[in-house]
Amino acid sequence: MDKLKKLVDKLEKEQRLSKEEFIALINGRNEELAEYLFKKASDIRDKNYGKRVFVRGLIEFTNYCKNNCLYCGIRAGNKKAERYRLSKEEILECCAHGYGLGFRTFVLQGGEDPFFTDEMMVDIVKNIKKDHPDCAVTLSIGEKSRESYEKFRLAGVDRYLLRHETANPEHYAKLHPENLSYENRIRCLHDLKGLGFQTGCGFMVGSPYQTTENLANDMVFLQEFRPHMVGIGPFISHKDTPFANERSGTLELTLFMLGLVRLTLPHALLPSTTALGTIAPDGREKGVLAGGNVVMPNLSPLNVRKKYMLYDNKISTGDEAAESLNNLKLRMKSIGYEVVTDRGDYFER
């Protein structure tokens, strides 16, 4: 145990470990080691961001997707999905409502939907920025060309989320159709960072075929790429996908990985994800105590929430945005943290 704690100390000091050292930590984890890790992760997060948890207003504006990722409930091949698209006016209404509640970051997330052309997205973003110049806009709409990303950046997009899902090409191929490649996903991430976006990546914990070595590869990738945001959450199966009968990821391992990410990237913005709250009633609180500092309440219209179902039993499908925000404030206050509604930009002292 002392040897493993020394590895945690080394990660805290140097912000990097070898793949073999990450494997040793992950395989050797137990409750005592996890508590040791979480204490250090919380201390580092508090040192850099205080007892503040940032909120992002999530707008899931389309559940159409041209891709057929094997784990995703809105995959093109799921004929049972009830499809929808929000209009530009509906998206702007969501932002106006969120602004009134205090949100200063809006996250536009959707499947890779060719209906929303670059020009349409640029127009939507420019209108959000015109109406709310003090707000940050994040896009999470998948793989695009560098030229498309450049248009979004010029339109005023501040951040872009694109989970890498796994940093192992062979594992990536087992989770995705043949037309999607690990190499292109990584190309996208480098383009985004090079264009000046606050760039977010991330991975699933407990996805089918995942090994400890895969998780260690993810950590090595993060320490080399140095993203500004990292979204990690447990894999949760969806009944209408090829992975319907696969076992979901665990809260315990997801939290441990979150703690490792915090030590590796002390200044990163780390969401305590909806998926964490889905697999455990207090999952999001535990995510914050393990080093997270972002939560993302849903601003999408109530009538579409249940249609954006990436995985089964997703929470927050019935809460009004104000109700959801107040609930999160109370939950975070109960563990000693304050939900704040400023932009919550990445920074390094």
Side-chain angles (χ1 to χ4, degrees):
M1 181 52 61
D2 286 347
K3 185 178 178 184
L4 293 177
K5 286 183 177 177
K6 284 178 180 173
L7 282 181
V8 173
D9 294 341
K10 180 182 177 183
L11 182 59
E12 177 189 28
K13 183 181 178 184
E14 299 180 12
Q15 297 168 29
R16 63 191 307 112
L17 293 175
S18 68
K19 184 170 85 170
E20 291 68 31
E21 288 170 327
F22 277 123
I23 289 172
L25 271 178
I26 297 165
N27 280 339
R29 72 188 189 282
N30 58 24
E31 196 171 331
E32 182 186 345
L33 185 66
E35 288 305 316
Y36 188 76
L37 171 66
F38 298 157
K39 175 69 169 66
K40 287 188 174 290
S42 279
D43 286 348
I44 286 172
R45 186 264 328 282
D46 292 354
K47 176 185 169 188
N48 290 319
Y49 289 102
K51 294 282 187 182
R52 299 181 300 160
V53 176
F54 302 111
V55 286
R56 317 300 198 204
L58 180 63
I59 303 168
E60 296 162 334
F61 68 98
T62 174
N63 73 343
Y64 283 85
C65 189
K66 67 182 184 182
N67 294 329
N68 242 331
C69 303
L70 278 72
Y71 49 84
C72 184
I74 64 169
R75 64 197 303 268
N78 180 9
K79 303 307 179 190
K80 294 181 181 178
E82 193 179 340
R83 305 291 177 176
Y84 73 90
R85 293 183 177 107
L86 298 185
S87 67
K88 170 183 158 183
E89 290 70 29
E90 287 173 313
I91 294 169
L92 294 176
E93 281 174 23
C94 291
C95 293
H97 180 53
Y99 192 87
L101 294 173
F103 289 92
R104 294 299 177 266
T105 289
F106 302 114
V107 181
L108 273 58
Q109 185 177 77
E112 291 195 21
D113 182 357
F115 174 85
F116 284 94
T117 63
D118 290 353
E119 290 67 35
M120 288 173 72
M121 292 308 303
V122 163
D123 181 51
I124 289 166
V125 170
K126 284 184 173 178
N127 274 275
I128 295 172
K129 285 289 193 173
K130 178 169 67 71
D131 293 346
H132 311 293
D134 55 334
C135 291
V137 173
T138 303
L139 289 185
S140 181
I141 53 174
E143 297 181 8
K144 304 283 182 184
S145 67
R146 183 184 175 91
E147 291 71 30
S148 295
Y149 290 146
E150 197 163 13
K151 290 175 188 174
F152 300 156
R153 188 79 183 104
L154 290 170
V157 176
D158 303 275
R159 308 177 187 135
Y160 202 102
L161 301 173
L162 181 67
R163 284 189 175 192
H164 66 279
E165 302 301 4
T166 174
N168 177 276
E170 290 78 25
H171 186 216
Y172 191 92
K174 291 178 180 178
L175 304 177
H176 298 89
E178 286 185 9
N179 64 311
L180 296 181
S181 72
Y182 172 75
E183 290 73 22
N184 193 57
R185 182 67 58 111
I186 300 305
R187 186 273 305 166
C188 289
L189 284 168
H190 283 286
D191 282 351
L192 288 163
K193 203 174 182 196
L195 288 166
F197 290 92
Q198 290 177 46
T199 303
C201 57
F203 55 92
M204 292 180 287
V205 177
S207 60
Y209 312 109
Q210 188 179 68
T211 64
T212 302
E213 185 177 0
N214 293 151
L215 289 170
N217 282 332
D218 286 315
M219 294 306 306
V220 171
F221 170 72
L222 293 180
Q223 71 187 15
E224 299 303 330
F225 183 63
R226 312 299 295 180
H228 308 99
M229 306 171 282
V230 182
I232 72 170
F235 163 75
I236 303 175
S237 63
H238 187 290
K239 64 184 186 324
D240 299 320
T241 69
F243 289 158
N245 297 317
E246 296 287 341
R247 184 183 303 171
S248 293
T250 66
L251 177 71
E252 176 268 329
L253 180 54
T254 305
L255 294 174
F256 194 83
M257 298 308 300
L258 194 58
L260 293 180
V261 173
R262 173 54 71 200
L263 292 197
T264 306
L265 302 167
H267 297 271
L269 296 159
L270 301 185
S272 187
T273 60
T274 302
L276 273 177
T278 297
I279 63 169
D282 58 350
R284 282 182 292 188
E285 291 93 312
K286 285 184 173 174
V288 169
L289 293 172
N293 64 338
V294 172
V295 288
M296 295 172 64
N298 205 321
L299 287 178
S300 308
L302 280 174
N303 66 323
V304 304
R305 301 262 187 99
K306 285 184 167 64
K307 299 174 186 176
Y308 198 85
M309 202 61 70
L310 306 183
Y311 48 83
D312 286 340
N313 304 312
K314 183 179 163 192
I315 59 168
S316 304
T317 55
D319 289 349
E320 293 282 359
E323 178 189 336
S324 181
L325 181 58
N326 287 332
N327 181 31
L328 275 172
K329 285 180 177 178
L330 290 172
R331 283 171 167 265
M332 294 305 147
K333 189 176 180 182
S334 75
I335 58 169
Y337 286 81
E338 178 193 6
V339 168
V340 293
T341 51
D342 60 28
R343 280 173 49 124
D345 285 299
Y346 175 90
F347 76 97
E348 288 196 33
R349 285 193 173 93

